[in-house]
Each structure stands twice: as C-alpha cells, then as structure tokens.
Amino acid sequence: MKALLAAAFLLVTTASADEIVLRPIISGLSEPTSIVNAGDARLFITQQTGRIAIYDGSQVLAQPFLDVSSLVSTNGEERGLLGLAFSPNYRNDGTFYIDYTNTAGDTVVARYHVSAADPNRADPATAQIILTVAQPYPNHNGGELQFGPDGYLYIGMGDGGSGGDPQNRAQTLNTLLGKILRIDVANTTTYRIPPSNPFVNRAGTAPEIWAWGVRNPWRFSFDRLTGDLWIADVGQDTYEEVDFQPATSSGGENYGWRRMEGFHCYNPSANCNDGTLTLPVLEYSHADGSCSITGGYRYRGALFPRLYSTYFYADFCTGKIWAATANGSGFASRLLLDTTMQITTFGEDVNGELYVDDYANGTIYSIRDAEPGAGRHRAARH
C-alpha cells in the first residue's frame, strides 16, 4: 500500500515558463550557507568561513554580526559555519544559536547573546557550547537549526559521512548521526530533553532524537502557517528526496536511509522496507546532472499569491528551482526557473517572502513573481 501511495507522490514535471525572477540584493559575500531573519526587517547571512553578515534592507553592514572564523574548520567543502537560529524570544532574551564544525572537524552547536550596546553586534564573550558531536568523516555534517512551533530547537545531523553510511549510523538509535534532533534550550546553560521526545524512555537510544534515517538533511523548515516540517535529504548516487512530517506528528519517523534512497532500495538492494519506514513525498533523479538537493520553504508571503502554499526547493549542481504543490493525492512539482547558480540555501524574511543564494559568486537574490513575458527572456538566468 505504501509503495502505491508513493507512486502518486512521484510526479515531477520539467516544463517551465520561468514563473519567477531573481533580483540581486547582496553581492560580495564569501560562500553563503544560510539566510535567516531575527523577527525584524534584517537578514542575517552565515558564511562558511565563519562570519555572519547583516543586510539591513538597503546594504550589508560593514562589521559582521559575529566572526567565529578562528573556531571553524573549512577543510572539506561541507564543513564550516552552517546554521543559525534566533530564539523565539529573541526580542527579550537576545540569544541565538549557531552550528559549525570546529577545528577538529566535529559539529558544535553554541549559544550566543547579542551585545547589550549594539543590536547589530553579537558578544563573542557570551559563547556557550551546548552540544558537540564527533564527526568521523569530513562530509555529511548537516548543520540546519530551526526553532519549531513548540519552542524547541531542531538540529539536522548527517550520517557522519563517507559513502553509503558504512557504519549504518542513520539506522542506529544510540548515535546522534543521521538524525533530526529536538532539544529544549530555554532557561538552561546547556539543554534538556523534551519529555515528549519519542525515544526518551527507551533504553539504549539517544533521547535527543526526534526523527531518524536521514543521510544529510540539507535544509529543513517549518511551515509558518501549519507547523508542518519539510526535510530535504541529500541522496547518495541516484535520487534526491523531500520528506514531510505533519504538525500532528509525535516524532519517531524513520525516513529510510540507508535502507532506501528515495523510493528505492539501497542497502539491502531488495526487500528493504518492512512497512515501518516513512517514505518521501517527492524525489528526483540525477539523470539531468542533479546531485544535491537544497531545501527551502513553503511560501506564505504576499507578493505572489499565485504561488502561495507551494514548497520551494532546488538542486546545487543544476541550479534548477522547483515548486511542490498539493494535488489531492500528495504533492507534484514543477520547474519554476532553470539557472546556472550553485544554490546552498533559501531564506525567509519576517513577512514570509523568500530569498535564494548563489554560493559560487556570493550573491543573495530576492524571489519575485515574473512580469508578463519574463519567461521568454530568461531575465534571471546567469
């Protein structure tokens, strides 16, 4: 039954009328990795080498919000400063969290406070490491940080790297690798385990785990209207996938890696799904040169109502940007724009409007609806 249902979710069309245009707003950045708002008009852009820039709506400020370059390891293309999340109560408590690989190559999640004297500067002296996870290989570090509607901090952890998850970490519940974690960071120097986490009372499991069976969740996001969780998970050799967790979930979903890659058996090569796995809602293949999915957001802004409620995602190698839309039996995708950009992140501002980056040239673009005829001219192609 699950296999038949999955087939209904598999439709990905490629015809495109260039439904969106990209307008550059920031240039000259160094390897951007995430675009985040703090509940106001500013955008905060993490850069892989360790700096967080601020865009105030008209320009990038001369001084970085935070510079942790001396703490960060970037030897290996998937290491560096990878994620940023502001406390849901940031206006009052001034705290935020970053995810980076340290000089040993291990994942660190750390808490900082904004400067008491300058809202555009963080205070580096306030650093508190709340979680460190050893990384056996330099790739698949995850890095996404998001606060959920429940106020808990969600952390994306890759499977530890190499190829094919050789130690099967994503399917092993006593390690944090290959998981989505959920922790409570409010009013504590480190963190607490939410009592409703799915494995909190199971012996031999890590209680931080919220969901498992992911390879490298490169960007996940919560629908700001419904609270649903969208997870883009990078595949191995053949398929990229989008996983979905409804807001009503109590956690514990196993998204299948390494038993499955997308809807397909990986290891073992047959009879991989015993019925306990949660299958993707979307997949796409590498047949067109795709290689690595970048997850975005379900659009809840006001600038182009025609695309309201569509989920945006892209591929790093091809630069293609897609939108997934509910179609009654699941979700179907269509190509919105074909670019030559290297897309590592989308961003959502305080009003729900969307942004996207080009990692290769350090540019951030706002996403806008195409004017009549824009599709014919491919005005936003680079």
Side-chain angles (χ1 to χ4, degrees), residues 99-185:
D99 185 304
Y100 63 91
T101 52
N102 64 17
T103 54
D106 297 328
T107 291
V108 172
V109 177
R111 177 193 293 114
Y112 285 80
H113 289 256
V114 68
S115 167
D118 186 348
N120 291 319
R121 299 297 299 274
D123 183 353
T126 62
Q128 294 175 298
I129 294 175
I130 64 169
L131 178 67
T132 301
V133 181
Q135 292 284 359
Y137 300 99
N139 56 338
H140 304 178
N141 298 296
E144 181 66 68
L145 297 177
Q146 291 274 350
F147 277 94
D150 51 18
Y152 295 134
L153 181 62
Y154 291 71
I155 303 166
M157 294 298 306
D159 65 8
S162 188
D165 194 5
Q167 280 74 49
N168 202 23
R169 293 182 174 92
Q171 290 296 316
T172 304
L173 286 171
N174 64 2
T175 174
L176 301 183
L177 297 172
K179 313 296 190 301
I180 305 294
L181 312 181
R182 184 175 80 148
I183 59 175
D184 181 359
V185 293

Coordinates of all heavy atoms in Angstrom, one line a residue, residues 99-185:
D99 N 25.6 26.6 14.3 CA 26.0 25.3 14.1 C 27.2 25.4 13.2 O 27.2 25.9 12.1 CB 24.9 24.4 13.4 CG 25.3 23.0 13.3 OD1 26.3 22.7 12.7 OD2 24.5 22.1 13.7
Y100 N 28.4 24.8 13.7 CA 29.6 24.9 12.9 C 30.4 23.6 13.1 O 30.2 22.9 14.1 CB 30.4 26.1 13.2 CG 30.9 26.3 14.6 CD1 32.2 25.8 14.9 CD2 30.2 26.9 15.6 CE1 32.7 25.9 16.2 CE2 30.6 27.0 16.9 CZ 31.9 26.5 17.2 OH 32.4 26.6 18.5
T101 N 31.4 23.4 12.3 CA 32.4 22.3 12.5 C 33.6 23.0 13.1 O 34.1 24.0 12.5 CB 32.7 21.6 11.2 OG1 33.1 22.5 10.2 CG2 31.6 20.7 10.8
N102 N 34.1 22.5 14.2 CA 35.2 23.1 14.9 C 36.6 22.7 14.2 O 36.6 22.0 13.2 CB 35.2 22.8 16.4 CG 35.4 21.3 16.7 OD1 35.8 20.5 15.8 ND2 35.0 20.9 17.9
T103 N 37.7 23.1 14.8 CA 39.0 22.9 14.2 C 39.3 21.4 14.2 O 40.2 21.0 13.4 CB 40.1 23.7 14.9 OG1 40.0 23.4 16.3 CG2 39.9 25.1 14.7
A104 N 38.6 20.6 15.0 CA 38.8 19.1 14.9 C 37.9 18.5 13.9 O 38.0 17.3 13.7 CB 38.6 18.5 16.3
G105 N 37.0 19.3 13.3 CA 36.0 18.7 12.3 C 34.7 18.2 12.9 O 33.9 17.7 12.2
D106 N 34.5 18.4 14.2 CA 33.3 18.0 14.9 C 32.2 19.0 14.9 O 32.5 20.2 14.9 CB 33.6 17.5 16.3 CG 34.6 16.4 16.4 OD1 34.6 15.5 15.5 OD2 35.4 16.3 17.3
T107 N 31.0 18.6 14.9 CA 29.9 19.5 15.0 C 29.7 20.2 16.3 O 29.8 19.5 17.4 CB 28.6 18.8 14.6 OG1 28.6 18.5 13.2 CG2 27.4 19.7 14.8
V108 N 29.6 21.5 16.4 CA 29.3 22.2 17.6 C 28.0 23.0 17.4 O 27.9 23.7 16.4 CB 30.5 23.2 17.9 CG1 30.1 24.1 19.1 CG2 31.7 22.4 18.2
V109 N 27.2 23.0 18.4 CA 26.0 23.9 18.5 C 26.3 24.8 19.7 O 26.5 24.3 20.8 CB 24.7 23.2 18.6 CG1 23.6 24.2 18.8 CG2 24.4 22.3 17.4
A110 N 26.3 26.1 19.5 CA 26.7 27.0 20.5 C 25.7 28.2 20.6 O 25.1 28.6 19.7 CB 28.1 27.6 20.3
R111 N 25.5 28.6 21.9 CA 24.6 29.8 22.2 C 25.4 31.1 22.3 O 26.5 31.0 22.9 CB 23.8 29.5 23.4 CG 22.9 30.6 23.9 CD 22.4 30.5 25.3 NE 21.5 29.3 25.4 CZ 21.8 28.2 26.2 NH1 22.9 28.1 26.8 NH2 20.9 27.3 26.3
Y112 N 24.9 32.1 21.8 CA 25.5 33.5 21.9 C 24.4 34.5 22.3 O 23.2 34.2 22.1 CB 26.2 34.0 20.7 CG 27.5 33.3 20.3 CD1 27.5 32.0 19.8 CD2 28.7 33.9 20.6 CE1 28.7 31.4 19.5 CE2 29.9 33.3 20.3 CZ 29.9 32.1 19.7 OH 31.1 31.5 19.4
H113 N 24.8 35.6 22.8 CA 23.9 36.7 23.1 C 24.3 37.9 22.3 O 25.5 38.2 22.0 CB 24.0 37.1 24.6 CG 23.4 36.2 25.5 ND1 22.1 36.3 26.1 CD2 23.8 34.9 25.9 CE1 21.9 35.3 26.9 NE2 22.8 34.4 26.8
V114 N 23.3 38.7 21.9 CA 23.6 40.0 21.2 C 24.2 40.9 22.2 O 24.0 40.8 23.4 CB 22.3 40.6 20.7 CG1 21.3 41.0 21.8 CG2 22.5 41.7 19.7
S115 N 25.0 41.9 21.7 CA 25.7 42.9 22.5 C 24.6 43.7 23.2 O 23.6 44.1 22.6 CB 26.6 43.7 21.7 OG 27.0 44.9 22.3
A116 N 24.9 44.1 24.4 CA 24.0 45.0 25.2 C 24.0 46.4 24.6 O 23.1 47.2 24.8 CB 24.3 45.0 26.6
A117 N 25.1 46.7 23.9 CA 25.4 48.1 23.5 C 25.0 48.3 22.0 O 24.8 49.4 21.6 CB 26.8 48.5 23.7
D118 N 24.9 47.2 21.2 CA 24.7 47.4 19.8 C 23.9 46.2 19.2 O 24.4 45.0 19.2 CB 26.1 47.4 19.1 CG 26.0 47.7 17.6 OD1 24.9 47.7 17.0 OD2 27.0 48.0 17.0
P119 N 22.7 46.4 18.8 CA 21.8 45.3 18.3 C 22.4 44.7 17.0 O 21.8 43.6 16.6 CB 20.5 46.0 18.0 CG 20.8 47.5 17.8 CD 22.0 47.7 18.7
N120 N 23.4 45.3 16.4 CA 23.9 44.7 15.2 C 25.3 44.0 15.4 O 26.0 43.6 14.5 CB 24.1 45.8 14.1 CG 22.8 46.4 13.6 OD1 21.9 45.6 13.3 ND2 22.7 47.7 13.4
R121 N 25.6 43.8 16.7 CA 26.8 43.0 17.0 C 26.5 42.0 18.1 O 25.8 42.3 19.1 CB 27.9 44.0 17.5 CG 28.4 45.0 16.6 CD 29.0 44.4 15.3 NE 30.2 43.6 15.6 CZ 31.4 44.2 15.7 NH1 31.6 45.5 15.6 NH2 32.4 43.4 16.0
A122 N 27.0 40.8 17.9 CA 26.9 39.8 18.9 C 28.1 40.0 19.9 O 29.1 40.6 19.6 CB 26.9 38.4 18.3
D123 N 27.9 39.4 21.1 CA 29.0 39.5 22.1 C 29.7 38.1 22.1 O 29.2 37.2 22.6 CB 28.4 39.8 23.5 CG 29.5 39.9 24.6 OD1 30.7 39.6 24.3 OD2 29.1 40.3 25.7
P124 N 30.9 38.0 21.5 CA 31.6 36.7 21.4 C 31.9 36.2 22.8 O 32.1 34.9 22.9 CB 32.8 37.0 20.6 CG 33.0 38.5 20.7 CD 31.7 39.1 20.9
A125 N 32.0 37.0 23.8 CA 32.4 36.5 25.2 C 31.2 35.7 25.8 O 31.5 35.1 26.8 CB 32.7 37.7 26.1
T126 N 30.1 35.8 25.2 CA 28.9 35.0 25.8 C 28.8 33.6 25.3 O 27.8 32.9 25.6 CB 27.6 35.8 25.5 OG1 27.4 35.8 24.1 CG2 27.6 37.2 26.0
A127 N 29.7 33.1 24.5 CA 29.6 31.8 23.9 C 29.5 30.7 24.9 O 30.2 30.7 25.9 CB 30.9 31.6 23.0
Q128 N 28.5 29.9 24.7 CA 28.3 28.7 25.5 C 28.1 27.5 24.5 O 27.2 27.5 23.7 CB 27.1 28.8 26.4 CG 27.2 29.8 27.4 CD 25.8 29.9 28.2 OE1 24.8 30.3 27.6 NE2 25.8 29.6 29.4
I129 N 29.0 26.5 24.6 CA 28.8 25.3 23.8 C 27.8 24.4 24.4 O 28.0 24.0 25.6 CB 30.1 24.6 23.6 CG1 31.1 25.4 22.7 CG2 29.9 23.2 22.9 CD1 32.5 24.8 22.6
I130 N 26.7 24.1 23.7 CA 25.7 23.3 24.3 C 25.7 21.9 23.8 O 25.1 21.0 24.5 CB 24.3 23.9 24.1 CG1 23.9 24.0 22.7 CG2 24.2 25.3 24.8 CD1 22.4 24.3 22.5
L131 N 26.3 21.6 22.7 CA 26.3 20.3 22.1 C 27.5 20.1 21.2 O 27.8 21.0 20.4 CB 25.0 20.0 21.4 CG 24.9 18.6 20.7 CD1 24.8 17.5 21.7 CD2 23.7 18.6 19.8
T132 N 28.2 19.0 21.3 CA 29.3 18.7 20.4 C 29.1 17.2 20.0 O 28.8 16.3 20.8 CB 30.7 18.8 21.1 OG1 30.9 20.1 21.6 CG2 31.8 18.5 20.1
V133 N 29.2 17.0 18.7 CA 29.0 15.7 18.1 C 30.2 15.3 17.3 O 30.5 16.1 16.3 CB 27.7 15.6 17.2 CG1 27.5 14.2 16.7 CG2 26.5 16.0 18.0
A134 N 30.9 14.2 17.6 CA 32.1 13.8 16.9 C 31.7 13.4 15.4 O 30.7 12.8 15.2 CB 32.8 12.6 17.5
Q135 N 32.5 13.9 14.5 CA 32.3 13.6 13.1 C 33.4 12.7 12.5 O 34.6 13.1 12.5 CB 32.2 14.9 12.2 CG 31.0 15.7 12.5 CD 29.7 15.2 11.9 OE1 29.8 14.2 11.2 NE2 28.6 15.9 12.1
P136 N 33.1 11.4 12.1 CA 34.1 10.5 11.7 C 34.7 10.8 10.3 O 35.8 10.4 10.0 CB 33.4 9.2 11.7 CG 32.0 9.5 11.5 CD 31.8 10.8 12.2
Y137 N 34.0 11.6 9.5 CA 34.4 11.9 8.2 C 34.1 13.4 7.9 O 33.3 14.0 8.6 CB 33.7 11.1 7.1 CG 33.9 9.6 7.2 CD1 33.0 8.8 7.8 CD2 35.1 9.0 6.7 CE1 33.2 7.4 7.9 CE2 35.3 7.7 6.8 CZ 34.3 6.9 7.4 OH 34.6 5.5 7.6
P138 N 34.7 14.1 6.9 CA 34.5 15.5 6.7 C 33.2 15.9 6.1 O 32.9 17.1 6.0 CB 35.7 15.9 5.9 CG 36.1 14.7 5.1 CD 35.8 13.5 6.1
N139 N 32.5 14.9 5.5 CA 31.2 15.3 4.8 C 30.0 14.9 5.6 O 30.1 14.2 6.6 CB 31.2 14.7 3.4 CG 31.4 13.1 3.4 OD1 31.9 12.6 4.3 ND2 30.9 12.5 2.3
H140 N 28.8 15.3 5.1 CA 27.5 15.0 5.7 C 27.4 15.5 7.2 O 27.2 14.8 8.1 CB 27.2 13.5 5.7 CG 27.3 12.9 4.3 ND1 27.1 11.6 4.1 CD2 27.5 13.4 3.1 CE1 27.2 11.3 2.8 NE2 27.5 12.5 2.2
N141 N 27.7 16.8 7.4 CA 27.6 17.4 8.7 C 26.3 18.0 9.0 O 26.1 18.5 10.1 CB 28.7 18.5 8.8 CG 30.1 18.0 8.6 OD1 30.6 17.2 9.4 ND2 30.7 18.4 7.5
G142 N 25.3 17.9 8.1 CA 24.0 18.5 8.4 C 24.2 20.0 8.6 O 24.7 20.7 7.7
G143 N 23.8 20.6 9.7 CA 24.0 22.0 10.0 C 22.8 22.8 10.2 O 22.9 24.0 10.6
E144 N 21.6 22.3 9.8 CA 20.4 23.1 9.9 C 20.0 23.3 11.4 O 20.0 22.3 12.1 CB 19.3 22.5 9.1 CG 18.0 23.3 9.2 CD 18.1 24.6 8.5 OE1 18.2 24.7 7.2 OE2 18.0 25.7 9.2
L145 N 19.6 24.5 11.7 CA 19.0 24.8 13.0 C 17.7 25.5 12.8 O 17.6 26.5 12.0 CB 19.9 25.7 13.9 CG 21.3 25.2 14.3 CD1 22.0 26.3 15.1 CD2 21.1 24.0 15.2
Q146 N 16.6 25.1 13.4 CA 15.3 25.7 13.4 C 14.6 25.6 14.7 O 14.6 24.5 15.3 CB 14.4 25.1 12.3 CG 14.9 25.3 10.8 CD 14.4 26.6 10.3 OE1 13.5 27.3 10.8 NE2 14.9 27.0 9.1
F147 N 14.0 26.7 15.1 CA 13.1 26.5 16.3 C 11.7 26.1 15.7 O 11.2 26.7 14.8 CB 13.0 27.8 17.1 CG 14.1 28.0 18.0 CD1 15.2 28.7 17.7 CD2 14.0 27.4 19.3 CE1 16.3 28.9 18.6 CE2 15.0 27.6 20.2 CZ 16.2 28.3 19.9
G148 N 11.1 25.1 16.3 CA 9.8 24.7 15.9 C 8.7 25.5 16.5 O 8.9 26.3 17.4
P149 N 7.5 25.3 16.1 CA 6.3 26.0 16.7 C 6.2 25.7 18.2 O 5.6 26.4 18.9 CB 5.1 25.4 15.9 CG 5.7 24.9 14.7 CD 7.1 24.4 15.0
D150 N 6.8 24.5 18.6 CA 6.7 24.2 20.1 C 7.8 24.9 20.9 O 7.8 24.6 22.1 CB 6.9 22.6 20.2 CG 8.1 22.1 19.4 OD1 9.0 22.9 19.1 OD2 8.1 20.9 19.2
G151 N 8.6 25.7 20.3 CA 9.7 26.4 21.0 C 10.9 25.6 21.2 O 11.9 26.1 21.8
Y152 N 11.0 24.4 20.8 CA 12.2 23.6 20.9 C 13.1 23.8 19.7 O 12.7 24.1 18.6 CB 11.8 22.1 21.0 CG 11.1 21.7 22.2 CD1 9.9 20.9 22.2 CD2 11.4 22.2 23.5 CE1 9.2 20.6 23.3 CE2 10.7 21.9 24.6 CZ 9.6 21.1 24.5 OH 8.9 20.7 25.7
L153 N 14.4 23.5 19.9 CA 15.4 23.7 18.9 C 15.6 22.3 18.2 O 15.9 21.3 18.8 CB 16.8 24.1 19.5 CG 17.9 24.4 18.5 CD1 17.6 25.5 17.5 CD2 19.2 24.7 19.2
Y154 N 15.4 22.4 16.8 CA 15.6 21.2 16.0 C 17.0 21.3 15.3 O 17.3 22.4 14.8 CB 14.5 21.1 15.0 CG 13.2 20.7 15.6 CD1 12.5 21.6 16.3 CD2 12.6 19.5 15.3 CE1 11.2 21.3 16.9 CE2 11.4 19.1 15.9 CZ 10.7 20.0 16.6 OH 9.5 19.7 17.2
I155 N 17.7 20.2 15.2 CA 19.1 20.2 14.7 C 19.2 19.1 13.7 O 18.8 17.9 14.0 CB 20.1 19.9 15.8 CG1 20.0 21.0 16.9 CG2 21.5 19.9 15.3 CD1 20.7 20.6 18.2
G156 N 19.7 19.4 12.5 CA 19.9 18.4 11.5 C 21.3 17.8 11.5 O 22.3 18.6 11.5
M157 N 21.4 16.5 11.7 CA 22.7 15.8 11.7 C 22.8 14.8 10.6 O 21.9 14.0 10.4 CB 22.9 15.1 13.0 CG 22.9 15.9 14.3 SD 24.4 17.1 14.3 CE 25.7 15.9 14.0
G158 N 23.9 15.0 9.7 CA 24.1 14.0 8.7 C 24.6 12.7 9.3 O 24.8 12.5 10.5
D159 N 24.8 11.7 8.4 CA 25.1 10.3 8.8 C 26.5 10.1 9.2 O 26.9 9.0 9.6 CB 24.6 9.3 7.8 CG 25.4 9.4 6.5 OD1 26.4 10.2 6.4 OD2 25.0 8.7 5.5
G160 N 27.3 11.1 9.2 CA 28.7 11.0 9.6 C 29.7 11.0 8.4 O 30.9 11.1 8.6
G161 N 29.1 10.8 7.2 CA 30.0 10.9 6.0 C 30.5 9.6 5.4 O 29.9 8.5 5.7
S162 N 31.5 9.7 4.6 CA 32.0 8.7 3.7 C 30.9 8.5 2.7 O 30.1 9.4 2.3 CB 32.3 7.4 4.5 OG 32.9 6.5 3.6
G163 N 30.7 7.3 2.1 CA 29.7 6.9 1.2 C 28.9 5.7 1.6 O 29.5 4.7 2.1
G164 N 27.6 5.8 1.4 CA 26.8 4.6 1.8 C 26.6 4.4 3.2 O 26.1 3.3 3.6
D165 N 26.9 5.3 4.1 CA 26.8 5.2 5.6 C 27.4 3.9 6.0 O 26.7 2.9 6.5 CB 25.3 5.3 5.9 CG 25.1 5.4 7.4 OD1 26.1 5.6 8.2 OD2 23.9 5.4 7.9
P166 N 28.7 3.7 5.9 CA 29.3 2.4 6.1 C 29.1 1.8 7.5 O 29.1 0.5 7.6 CB 30.8 2.7 5.9 CG 31.0 4.2 6.1 CD 29.7 4.8 5.6
Q167 N 28.9 2.6 8.5 CA 28.6 2.0 9.8 C 27.1 2.0 10.2 O 26.7 1.7 11.3 CB 29.3 2.8 10.9 CG 30.8 2.4 11.1 CD 31.6 3.0 9.9 OE1 31.6 4.2 9.6 NE2 32.5 2.1 9.4
N168 N 26.3 2.3 9.1 CA 24.8 2.3 9.3 C 24.3 3.1 10.4 O 23.4 2.8 11.2 CB 24.3 0.8 9.5 CG 22.8 0.7 9.1 OD1 22.3 1.5 8.3 ND2 22.2 -0.3 9.6
R169 N 24.9 4.3 10.6 CA 24.6 5.2 11.7 C 23.2 5.7 11.7 O 22.5 5.9 12.7 CB 25.6 6.3 11.8 CG 27.0 5.9 12.1 CD 28.0 7.1 12.2 NE 29.3 6.7 12.7 CZ 30.3 6.3 11.9 NH1 30.1 6.4 10.6 NH2 31.5 6.0 12.4
A170 N 22.7 6.0 10.5 CA 21.3 6.6 10.3 C 20.3 5.6 10.8 O 19.2 6.1 11.2 CB 21.1 7.0 8.9
Q171 N 20.5 4.3 10.8 CA 19.6 3.3 11.3 C 19.9 2.8 12.7 O 19.4 1.8 13.1 CB 19.5 2.2 10.3 CG 18.9 2.5 9.0 CD 17.4 2.9 9.1 OE1 16.6 2.2 9.8 NE2 17.0 4.0 8.4
T172 N 20.8 3.5 13.4 CA 21.2 3.1 14.7 C 20.8 4.2 15.7 O 21.2 5.3 15.6 CB 22.7 2.9 14.8 OG1 23.1 2.0 13.8 CG2 23.2 2.4 16.1
L173 N 20.0 3.8 16.7 CA 19.4 4.8 17.6 C 20.3 5.2 18.8 O 19.8 6.0 19.6 CB 18.1 4.2 18.1 CG 16.9 4.3 17.1 CD1 15.7 3.5 17.6 CD2 16.5 5.7 16.7
N174 N 21.5 4.7 18.9 CA 22.3 5.1 20.0 C 23.3 6.1 19.6 O 24.3 6.5 20.3 CB 23.0 3.9 20.7 CG 24.0 3.2 19.7 OD1 24.2 3.6 18.6 ND2 24.6 2.1 20.2
T175 N 23.2 6.7 18.4 CA 24.1 7.8 17.9 C 23.2 8.9 17.4 O 22.1 8.7 16.9 CB 25.0 7.3 16.8 OG1 25.8 8.4 16.3 CG2 24.3 6.6 15.6
L176 N 23.7 10.1 17.5 CA 23.0 11.3 17.0 C 23.2 11.5 15.5 O 22.5 12.4 14.9 CB 23.5 12.5 17.7 CG 23.3 12.5 19.3 CD1 23.8 13.9 19.9 CD2 21.9 12.2 19.7
L177 N 24.1 10.8 14.9 CA 24.3 10.9 13.4 C 23.2 10.3 12.6 O 22.6 9.3 13.0 CB 25.6 10.3 13.1 CG 26.9 11.0 13.7 CD1 28.1 10.2 13.4 CD2 27.0 12.4 13.3
G178 N 22.8 11.0 11.5 CA 21.8 10.6 10.6 C 20.4 10.8 11.2 O 19.4 10.1 11.0
K179 N 20.2 11.9 12.0 CA 19.0 12.2 12.7 C 18.6 13.6 12.6 O 19.4 14.5 12.3 CB 19.2 11.8 14.2 CG 19.9 10.5 14.5 CD 19.1 9.3 14.1 CE 19.7 8.0 14.6 NZ 21.1 7.7 14.2
I180 N 17.3 13.9 13.0 CA 16.8 15.2 13.4 C 16.7 15.2 14.9 O 16.0 14.3 15.4 CB 15.5 15.5 12.7 CG1 15.6 15.4 11.2 CG2 15.0 16.9 13.1 CD1 16.4 16.3 10.5
L181 N 17.4 16.1 15.5 CA 17.3 16.2 17.0 C 16.3 17.3 17.4 O 16.1 18.2 16.7 CB 18.7 16.5 17.6 CG 19.9 15.7 17.0 CD1 21.2 16.1 17.7 CD2 19.7 14.2 17.2
R182 N 15.8 17.1 18.6 CA 14.9 18.1 19.2 C 15.3 18.3 20.7 O 15.3 17.3 21.5 CB 13.5 17.7 19.1 CG 12.5 18.8 19.7 CD 11.1 18.5 19.4 NE 10.6 17.5 20.4 CZ 9.3 17.5 20.9 NH1 8.4 18.4 20.4 NH2 8.9 16.6 21.8
I183 N 15.7 19.5 21.1 CA 16.2 19.8 22.4 C 15.5 21.0 23.0 O 15.1 21.9 22.2 CB 17.7 19.8 22.6 CG1 18.3 20.9 21.7 CG2 18.3 18.5 22.2 CD1 19.8 21.2 21.8
D184 N 15.5 21.2 24.3 CA 14.9 22.3 24.9 C 16.1 23.2 25.5 O 16.9 22.7 26.3 CB 14.1 21.9 26.1 CG 13.4 23.0 26.9 OD1 13.7 24.2 26.5 OD2 12.6 22.8 27.8
V185 N 16.3 24.4 24.9 CA 17.4 25.2 25.3 C 17.0 26.4 26.1 O 17.8 27.3 26.5 CB 18.2 25.7 24.0 CG1 18.8 24.5 23.3 CG2 17.3 26.4 23.1

